[in-house]
Amino acid sequence: KQNYGFSKGNNIGISFAQKYLKPDYVCLLNNDTIVSKNWLKELVKEITSEKQIGSCSSKLLMYDNHKIINSTGIMIIRDGTGIDRGRNKLDTNQFDNKTSIFGACAAGAIYSMDALMDALNDAGILDDDYFAYFEDVDLSWRLQLCGWKCRYVPTAVVYHKYSQSTGSSSLFKVYQGERNRIWNVVKNFPFIFLIKAFPYNILKITLLLYNNFHGQGRGTLYTKEH
């Protein structure tokens, strides 16, 4: 009857599974994805290989072009943004090694229930307030702070119809993304990095605005459309 978004929608599903199925692991998978034949098998094999692995991230490729990378896990950059490793790069097998990463992209990921219970807080497993976007970055922060490892599994391949649900340049996505990015910085950044991130954010926004006035950069995607 109500759209709870990615965060609360998945929380409801996880709570249902926990109550009635009592699983050791939970997978999150976007509704705009197609998975490879051994996707789940490969994720399970990796997350069960070491007790301290709390989550694993798939290799996500663009659905309309399987040679372009969507995500090989989450990494944090200076302004506090969690970005997809390798996004929009040509896949030349440069991300084909299993490795420890900051966090899992929840468009196709597996989580240990023990890890999720450790990271649980008043906001839920995924923070309900986020609704959509960056909620997996927030969860990755909490899992890291609880001491859980995240592993990237290149053999678990997912083909993602990127931004199929909301549109790649919709105002909804811009608002949610920027708001939730700031929330992640405020909620999770260690204080010293919070101070360092502030001037970097001011500089970034100023440069984006400058470029936009001159018809350059990513911001023009939104001004042309809206």
Side-chain angles (χ1 to χ4, degrees):
K1 294 179 180 179
Q2 186 174 341
N3 182 1
Y4 291 115
F6 188 90
S7 300
K8 191 171 181 179
N10 276 307
N11 283 340
I12 291 170
I14 294 169
S15 296
F16 182 91
Q18 187 183 17
K19 182 176 180 180
Y20 294 103
L21 305 173
K22 302 189 182 341
D24 294 320
Y25 305 95
V26 166
C27 279
L28 297 187
L29 184 67
N30 271 24
N31 62 335
D32 53 2
T33 57
I34 303 292
V35 301
S36 58
K37 183 178 179 180
N38 293 318
W39 170 72
L40 184 57
K41 183 178 179 180
E42 292 296 313
L43 287 180
V44 171
K45 185 166 67 174
E46 186 61 29
I47 201 168
T48 55
S49 67
E50 187 180 334
K51 189 175 181 181
Q52 211 51 40
I53 298 176
S55 60
C56 290
S57 196
S58 307
K59 180 179 185 177
L60 281 89
L61 301 173
M62 297 295 188
Y63 179 83
D64 55 357
N65 186 346
H66 292 183
K67 294 181 179 180
I68 302 298
I69 295 169
N70 175 194
S71 178
T72 61
I74 292 169
M75 60 184 289
I76 303 296
I77 59 175
R78 273 183 262 179
D79 67 349
T81 303
I83 65 171
D84 291 310
R85 285 193 330 141
R87 183 181 159 193
N88 291 331
K89 290 185 178 180
L90 183 67
D91 182 18
T92 58
N93 304 318
Q94 71 273 45
F95 293 102
D96 276 4
N97 292 323
K98 290 180 184 177
T99 186
S100 292
I101 55 175
F102 182 82
C105 174
I110 190 169
Y111 298 87
S112 154
M113 280 304 302
D114 288 341
L116 292 180
M117 290 302 98
D118 264 1
L120 179 66
N121 59 23
D122 292 339
I125 291 174
L126 295 167
D127 190 328
D128 288 348
D129 290 335
Y130 279 56
F131 191 83
Y133 300 111
F134 285 92
E135 68 293 303
D136 53 356
V137 182
D138 174 56
L139 177 58
S140 297
W141 268 108
R142 284 184 275 129
L143 289 169
Q144 284 283 349
L145 292 170
C146 289
W148 290 96
K149 297 178 183 179
C150 181
R151 196 67 55 81
Y152 164 62
V153 187
T155 49
V157 179
V158 175
Y159 304 104
H160 186 198
K161 298 179 182 180
Y162 183 71
S163 288
Q164 192 74 19
S165 297
T166 61
S168 59
S169 57
S170 67
L171 290 179
F172 170 80
K173 184 172 182 177
V174 175
Y175 172 78
Q176 289 292 126
E178 280 301 291
R179 183 197 68 173
N180 294 351
R181 179 183 71 81
I182 294 167
W183 281 1
N184 272 342
V185 175
V186 174
K187 280 182 66 177
N188 300 307
F189 249 38
F191 185 69
I192 185 65
F193 293 113
L194 189 62
I195 294 171
K196 290 180 178 180
F198 182 74
Y200 188 87
N201 270 287
I202 296 296
L203 178 63
K204 176 185 173 183
I205 293 168
T206 303
L207 288 173
L208 282 170
L209 189 62
Y210 175 84
N211 285 334
N212 204 32
F213 278 130
H214 289 80
Q216 300 172 339
R218 185 174 172 80
T220 56
L221 293 174
Y222 308 107
T223 51
K224 283 176 183 175
E225 189 167 332
H226 303 292

